[in-house]
Amino acid sequence: MWYVMQVQTGSEEKIQLQCQKLISTDVLQKCFIPYYKEQRKLHGEWFLLKKVLFPGYVFMITDGPEELWYDLKKGTGAYKASGDGWGDDSTLR
């Protein structure tokens, strides 16, 4: 199942790395941040920028939501988590 975790905007990559480091691959199958590419023109030159599609959110795939929930509560810096199986009270702090 897919789950989403609300984090402080700007800390998405830090939290993603922390989750990948601290949470077993038996529990967390994948942790990712969706990006998009945007072209901007600056001083007559075009630049391709990589930007976070959903600022303040990190996405996770797991078959063990209870174990993932327990591991997340250990201190990832997350605010909230959403998805089936975590109930109504999903605040991590």
Side-chain angles (χ1 to χ4, degrees), residues 14-61:
K14 179 183 119 187
I15 298 297
Q16 177 190 18
L17 292 173
Q18 195 174 14
C19 286
Q20 291 171 338
K21 182 180 176 183
L22 299 176
I23 301 173
S24 165
T25 55
D26 294 336
V27 175
L28 182 61
Q29 296 170 3
K30 187 172 183 180
C31 183
F32 64 97
I33 304 164
Y35 292 95
Y36 70 97
K37 293 180 181 176
E38 177 180 282
Q39 283 191 329
R40 291 254 175 121
K41 193 173 188 178
L42 181 63
H43 304 294
E45 285 190 58
W46 286 97
F47 293 91
L48 191 61
L49 303 174
K50 181 178 159 183
K51 298 183 122 187
V52 176
L53 184 60
F54 302 107
Y57 293 93
V58 175
F59 293 79
M60 299 166 289
I61 299 176

Side-chain angles (χ1 to χ4, degrees), residues 3-6 60 65 69 72-73 78-93:
Y3 293 86
V4 62
M5 178 172 47
Q6 184 180 7
M60 299 166 289
W69 175 247
L72 288 172
K73 288 184 359 180
Y79 292 135
K80 295 182 180 180
S82 299
D84 293 338
W86 280 346
D88 293 331
D89 182 22
S90 59
T91 303
L92 297 176
R93 290 187 186 193

